[in-house]
Amino acid sequence: MFEFGRDLRKLFEKARESDDLGWLELIGADLVEAEARREAIDAGRVSCTQPFAGWMRASALWREHARRTGRRTSLDRAASAASDASRHTTTPDQTAAAAIESGEIHLLRFDLFGGPEKLTAALADVQSLTAERPATRASAAALHARLTARRARLSGEPSVMLDAAALLDAAVHGARGMPQTMGDDLRLDRASLSLEAGVARRDGRLLDQAGRDLRVLVEAASPDYRPLTRARALALAGAGRMALARLARNEAATEQGRALFDAAADQFNPDHSPLDWVAVQLAQTPGETPLLSLAQAETLTREPGLVLGALTRERRLAAEADLAEDVGDIAALVGLETIVRQRLLARASQPVDWAADQIVMARLAMARGRLMGVEPRAIGLMLAEAMETARECGAPALVERAMLAMPEKEMGVRG
């Protein structure tokens, strides 16, 4: 994304010594991987004078690569580096810092692959930490707040979400003077939680809080230095604007949401951060993302068990099913059913993928039934099983897709 001239090389050499890894946003995913490999090699040398710091840095770099690409191997390498760091601790504070890094990996593993049990394990670990330095205590508080917010969003209970928001408030306050990346992650989480609870409760105060956080992030994140943070904030703002537009049936707000998504997509290219690019595509209203973009997104998210990959594949196949139904192509629908059925049989060990494919099978059966004038069987049961599996995996977006696919008469019975 950027040319590496002499001055830029000097800038990165200096940035490599900083605790704030925000500079990584300037380089693409491939270069992040190269930096992680370099750091891990240096940390493992017998001549390394600060192995703890080296392994901690390698872990953070591998974690960032996993966050952008969804690669399970990168997440495993981050965990391995964090484990190596814990073996080189010399103070209780370093022990706590290594445990916090391990907790960050658990949180990211949940974000990428689901599994609420990861949140429970990480929360138990972080609550038992004793840190000496204020910076380590702030990091522990930030991790605790973010883990709690994830669990609150899974519960869907407004009161639980408000309690989690209070923890995020305290963590944001405690992060002042810390690396900017910590404050940015906390604000993004607080905005997401406030937005979700605000829409659910139609609470203007919570929606205003989300708007303030996102405005601060967008204004502070220059497109020249923090393109990914800016894009994440813009995409979340776009999703919020679209949700409000649907509630109010306001076409002007819908257009504003689309403009925010376009602005988010303009911040970087797919190679720079594949998962961020895919997330922007999926955040748009279903049916508005071109099939070609969905196909490209699918190629970027093929890691088995990746939640975003399952969502992408379901959206792409739903779009293909709609297209086939529109032109009355029953053969195309049957062909898609054959492909998905084979994948269902092959992926019993990946619940998230299974749930997405089950939703697709229901959509295809309903489309074929409408064209042939027959009533498909057990559609409600198929979608209910997909919904339950997605819920157990901690993938609420897939639960929502299953609910949207549910026939109206089934919804009436289940309601």
Side-chain angles (χ1 to χ4, degrees), residues 16-33:
R16 287 189 179 110
E17 307 303 319
S18 170
D19 291 333
D20 189 343
L21 297 179
W23 64 275
L24 289 174
E25 294 194 24
L26 292 175
I27 64 177
D30 288 348
L31 286 173
V32 173
E33 182 179 18

Side-chain angles (χ1 to χ4, degrees), residues 396-415:
L398 267 178
V399 175
E400 182 180 355
R401 290 294 292 171
M403 291 180 65
L404 288 172
M406 189 75 73
E408 288 186 12
K409 65 176 184 178
E410 295 283 354
M411 289 295 289
V413 171
R414 305 189 71 81

Side-chain angles (χ1 to χ4, degrees), residues 147-165:
L147 289 166
T148 302
R150 296 296 193 284
R151 289 222 306 184
R153 293 183 68 185
L154 289 181
S155 76
E157 294 291 335
S159 60
V160 177
M161 293 167 78
L162 289 176
D163 289 342

Side-chain angles (χ1 to χ4, degrees), residues 118-390:
K118 300 178 182 68
L119 300 179
T120 302
L123 267 171
D125 290 344
V126 75
Q127 287 171 336
S128 64
L129 292 178
T130 54
E132 298 173 348
R133 295 174 59 232
T136 311
R137 288 198 296 271
S139 296
L143 175 60
H144 179 256
R146 297 182 68 210
L147 289 166
T148 302
R150 296 296 193 284
R151 289 222 306 184
R153 293 183 68 185
L154 289 181
S155 76
E157 294 291 335
S159 60
V160 177
M161 293 167 78
L162 289 176
D163 289 342
L167 281 178
L168 287 170
D169 289 341
V172 169
H173 181 76
R176 292 173 182 172
M178 299 297 294
Q180 188 176 354
T181 49
M182 181 191 294
D184 289 346
D185 285 341
L186 285 167
R187 279 196 168 84
L188 278 170
D189 282 353
R190 186 170 67 177
S192 181
L193 191 66
S194 298
L195 188 60
E196 190 169 331
V199 169
R201 300 182 60 177
R202 303 197 178 193
D203 187 325
R205 183 182 61 82
L206 291 173
L207 295 173
D208 286 344
Q209 173 66 65
R212 284 194 297 272
D213 275 332
L214 294 173
R215 187 160 48 249
V216 167
L217 284 168
V218 171
E219 291 176 353
S222 164
D224 294 327
Y225 297 102
R226 305 296 299 278
L228 297 182
T229 297
R230 186 179 180 87
R232 289 164 187 157
L234 286 169
L236 186 54
R241 181 64 66 180
M242 296 293 273
L244 292 174
R246 285 192 294 271
L247 287 175
R249 298 182 180 179
N250 187 320
E251 185 58 34
T254 299
E255 290 302 320
Q256 291 171 358
R258 291 193 185 105
L260 287 167
F261 286 135
D262 290 342
D266 286 343
Q267 302 302 309
F268 58 92
N269 59 48
D271 292 336
H272 194 74
S273 184
L275 293 196
D276 280 301
W277 185 84
V278 172
V280 171
Q281 305 306 310
L282 295 191
Q284 300 180 54
T285 302
E288 293 190 354
T289 307
L291 187 56
L292 185 61
S293 295
L294 289 174
Q296 183 181 3
E298 189 176 6
T299 64
L300 297 172
T301 55
R302 292 194 181 278
E303 185 76 25
L306 185 66
V307 174
L308 202 59
L311 283 165
T312 302
R313 189 170 57 258
E314 191 275 332
R315 284 277 289 274
R316 194 267 299 173
L317 287 167
E320 288 206 16
D322 289 343
L323 182 60
E325 184 179 1
D326 288 342
V327 299
D329 192 344
I330 295 177
L333 292 174
V334 172
L336 290 172
E337 279 184 324
T338 301
I339 293 170
V340 177
R341 186 176 291 109
Q342 291 173 346
R343 194 164 52 221
L344 275 168
L345 294 173
R347 284 188 174 164
S349 61
Q350 297 292 340
V352 169
D353 292 323
W354 181 89
D357 288 337
Q358 191 83 336
I359 297 169
V360 172
M361 283 297 289
R363 289 185 182 277
L364 290 168
M366 287 188 287
R368 184 161 54 85
R370 285 189 292 268
L371 288 180
M372 298 178 67
V374 298
E375 187 75 21
R377 299 174 57 188
I379 295 299
L381 179 61
M382 291 171 64
L383 291 170
E385 290 177 344
M387 214 178 300
E388 183 62 26
T389 300

Side-chain angles (χ1 to χ4, degrees), residues 17-102:
E17 307 303 319
S18 170
D19 291 333
D20 189 343
L21 297 179
W23 64 275
L24 289 174
E25 294 194 24
L26 292 175
I27 64 177
D30 288 348
L31 286 173
V32 173
E33 182 179 18
E35 286 287 317
R37 290 184 187 281
R38 184 188 68 82
E39 194 68 50
I41 290 170
D42 288 349
R45 297 185 192 279
V46 176
S47 58
C48 181
T49 58
Q50 295 181 312
F52 170 76
W55 284 120
M56 286 287 284
R57 198 169 182 82
S59 179
L61 288 166
W62 278 122
R63 180 160 51 84
E64 174 63 15
H65 185 255
R67 178 179 179 176
R68 294 203 206 170
T69 64
R71 288 190 198 167
R72 201 183 292 268
T73 53
S74 294
L75 206 53
D76 291 342
R77 285 174 177 143
S80 178
S83 178
D84 285 330
S86 69
R87 287 196 289 270
H88 288 87
T89 59
T90 57
T91 67
D93 204 70
Q94 286 185 343
T95 300
I100 291 167
E101 174 61 22
S102 179

